[in-house]
Amino acid sequence: MDICVIGTGYVGLVTGTCFADSGNRVVCMDTDAGKIARLQKGEIPIYEPGLAELVRRNVADGRLRFTTDLAEAVGHGRICFIAVGTPPGEDGSADLRYVLDVARGIAGAMDGHRVIVNKSTVPVGTGALVRKVMEERTTHAFAVVSNPEFLKEGAAIDDFTKPDRVVVGLETPDAEIQALMTELYSPFVRTENPILFMDIRSSEMTKYVANAMLATKISFINEMANLCEHLGADVNQVRKGIGYDRRIGFQFIHPGVGYGGSCFPKDVKAIMHMGEQLGQPLDIMRAVDAVNDRQKQVLFHKVRRHFAGELAGREIAVWGLSFKPKTDDMREAPSITIIERLLGAGARVRVHDPVAMDEARRHFGDRIVYAPEPYGALDGADALLVVTEWNEFRLPDFGEIRRRMRMPVIFDGRNLYDPGRMVGYGFIYHSIGRAPVAIPS
């Protein structure tokens, strides 16, 4: 098939590349000339495992190309995917300017029938808005389809090519469009996972409800972890006790320092705004959002309590800056909140992250020190904070950590380590939802 994808951010680039890798001819378009120039040279502007290799192979094979020319992209693609950002406004609502601008642009460039597929995360009713603005600018026939993405940063290629399900929303039942979307996604559902066809408003809502549920699980286990800690219970044991219940499961019930990234914070606020606009306040979502904001402060408060409020001049090492492993994305990352609080209290901060150091420099500038390898952040440190659960932090050389640090204190924001072993290594150890442990006197 001939496909165009408008927007080469995270979703657009993964979408276009995976469709090209399954044999389609894809043109990806973006207004950012610098980004397109980098992509044309084989440089990938985002970090996503496996993506660079796929892009380069499909460009070399002639199935994938990049342009800044919208008319060229629309002229190529009989199916046009909209994959641009919907950033939150001050009131939490999703900003649809970019989606609607792209819709207008497609309408102006069309030379015949097109299928307009919205991949962006948009409020319920956006499909109707897209139709309205396009009908004002074209007399050509077109169909509007909702096809939300369910990609996890760090695992996007697998998520796209081996989806749990594909959700497709249609304006009205249409056998021709349904057959087209079935053919497009057929290479990815060979294991019999379903393509779910539904009305377009339900499809738009599905994306928000999915992210709201996952965010709820994270905030729930974090709130329970804080209660466990005060009651002397071990949240890791509790997590096992509930996770084997098939109604609950183990996914998204790992306690930590709160969720971040480009999706959960934005989408929780957006669904709250939708409810408020309709006079249907979403009390659970408000609680999820508030718990997450508090959870981002938990590690800092543990540090401050340990040092009796005296943080000025303390050397603090931080491992992990991205909001999750296998990405350089620091949007809404808990590390930002934690480091800003430490700096505000007068601490000196040294950091290491396997891939997010450049992103951190854009945020913090020269206010913190950047260590090129993990142990380099530890020299003379009064404490180590583990904020992101990168694999290379799971089994470090604890003897080397102990030798480099001035004080043997670890604050583990991801519960990576066993408390008993930490005592054996000679550390004072704080984690989430478990009682702190110290070297026996």
Side-chain angles (χ1 to χ4, degrees):
M1 293 188 190
D2 294 325
I3 298 169
C4 75
V5 179
I6 313 302
T8 59
Y10 185 82
V11 172
L13 188 55
V14 170
T15 297
T17 303
C18 289
F19 278 140
D21 201 53
S22 64
N24 299 289
R25 295 172 294 274
V26 180
V27 173
C28 289
M29 179 271 167
D30 202 292
T31 58
D32 186 334
K35 183 187 291 186
I36 292 298
R38 290 181 62 191
L39 286 165
Q40 288 171 336
K41 291 187 291 185
E43 299 174 8
I44 309 303
I46 60 175
Y47 179 84
E48 177 62 35
L51 183 58
E53 178 188 350
L54 279 187
V55 170
R56 290 168 190 149
R57 182 172 74 231
N58 283 281
V59 168
D61 291 347
R63 290 187 299 271
L64 178 63
R65 58 190 173 92
F66 302 96
T67 184
T68 58
D69 188 333
L70 179 62
E72 176 190 352
V74 175
H76 167 85
R78 303 279 81 81
I79 306 175
C80 297
F81 282 83
I82 300 176
V84 295
T86 54
E90 290 185 6
D91 60 358
S93 62
D95 187 343
L96 294 178
R97 280 179 297 169
Y98 306 111
V99 169
L100 297 180
D101 283 348
V102 169
R104 294 183 185 99
I106 292 172
M110 286 166 53
D111 58 2
H113 184 272
R114 294 293 187 277
V115 178
I116 314 304
V117 184
N118 196 0
K119 249 330 183 180
S120 301
T121 300
V122 294
V124 176
T126 300
L129 290 176
V130 167
R131 171 161 291 282
K132 179 176 182 296
V133 301
M134 290 187 65
E135 285 178 339
E136 293 169 353
R137 285 166 174 76
T138 186
T139 57
H140 293 295
F142 61 90
V144 179
V145 174
S146 167
N147 177 216
E149 53 85 16
F150 301 100
L151 306 179
K152 298 187 296 292
E153 292 189 44
I157 304 299
D158 269 357
D159 285 346
F160 195 98
T161 58
K162 303 170 187 175
D164 297 324
R165 79 293 195 200
V166 175
V167 173
V168 178
L170 304 177
E171 296 176 285
T172 58
D174 188 317
E176 184 176 346
I177 301 301
Q178 186 165 327
L180 184 71
M181 297 300 290
T182 298
E183 181 182 355
L184 181 62
Y185 276 104
S186 60
F188 311 122
V189 292
R190 295 173 66 85
T191 56
E192 305 302 326
N193 285 347
I195 302 175
L196 303 174
F197 289 94
M198 59 186 69
D199 67 273
I200 196 167
R201 296 176 76 88
S202 296
S203 173
E204 292 167 341
M205 188 64 173
T206 296
K207 168 67 174 181
Y208 282 106
V209 174
N211 279 354
M213 174 58 77
L214 297 177
T216 298
K217 292 186 75 172
I218 294 170
S219 282
F220 175 81
I221 198 63
N222 282 335
E223 194 162 58
M224 294 302 104
N226 297 336
L227 184 60
C228 284
E229 192 168 326
H230 282 86
L231 293 173
D234 181 338
V235 72
N236 275 10
Q237 299 301 316
V238 173
R239 185 179 65 84
K240 294 175 184 177
I242 66 172
Y244 283 106
D245 187 326
R246 285 173 292 183
R247 297 168 299 177
I248 298 172
F250 282 101
Q251 290 187 314
F252 290 85
I253 60 167
H254 291 273
V257 290
Y259 59 75
S262 62
C263 293
F264 288 1
K266 173 177 70 73
D267 292 351
V268 166
K269 287 180 171 60
I271 199 170
M272 287 165 55
H273 182 266
M274 281 189 270
E276 289 164 2
Q277 290 293 100
L278 295 169
Q280 294 287 327
L282 303 181
D283 295 338
I284 292 175
M285 290 296 96
R286 282 205 299 265
V288 166
D289 190 50
V291 167
N292 193 61
D293 284 344
R294 288 199 303 270
Q295 197 68 19
K296 290 181 179 183
Q297 310 279 344
V298 164
L299 216 57
F300 169 76
H301 291 310
K302 288 176 181 287
V303 175
R304 186 173 61 180
R305 281 196 302 271
H306 177 83
F307 291 109
E310 299 297 327
L311 291 178
R314 295 282 184 187
E315 296 283 349
I316 306 296
V318 175
W319 279 3
L321 300 168
S322 55
F323 85 94
K324 62 179 286 188
K326 298 183 181 180
T327 180
D328 61 352
D329 195 344
M330 285 185 63
R331 285 175 286 184
E332 302 280 350
S335 64
I336 295 175
T337 299
I338 293 165
I339 292 171
E340 290 289 3
R341 292 298 305 270
L342 290 168
L343 294 173
R348 293 190 290 267
V349 179
R350 291 197 290 184
V351 304
H352 175 77
D353 187 282
V355 301
M357 299 286 264
D358 289 342
E359 287 297 316
R361 285 187 178 93
R362 280 189 273 273
H363 185 88
F364 294 109
D366 60 2
R367 293 185 294 148
I368 61 177
V369 177
Y370 304 90
E373 49 89 23
Y375 301 107
L378 302 174
D379 293 327
D382 294 300
L384 165 63
L385 278 60
V386 181
V387 178
T388 311
E389 65 274 32
W390 285 92
N391 280 343
E392 44 264 67
F393 301 154
R394 292 181 180 274
L395 290 173
D397 184 336
F398 290 106
E400 181 70 7
I401 293 173
R402 182 70 183 84
R403 284 189 293 272
R404 289 191 180 235
M405 294 181 71
R406 190 175 74 85
M407 299 180 67
V409 186
I410 293 179
F411 295 87
D412 182 358
R414 298 295 181 177
N415 288 1
L416 297 187
Y417 311 133
D418 176 77
R421 293 186 68 191
M422 292 300 98
V423 172
Y425 287 125
F427 290 100
I428 299 168
Y429 179 70
H430 300 262
S431 56
I432 305 294
R434 302 182 294 187
V437 294
I439 308 163
S441 56

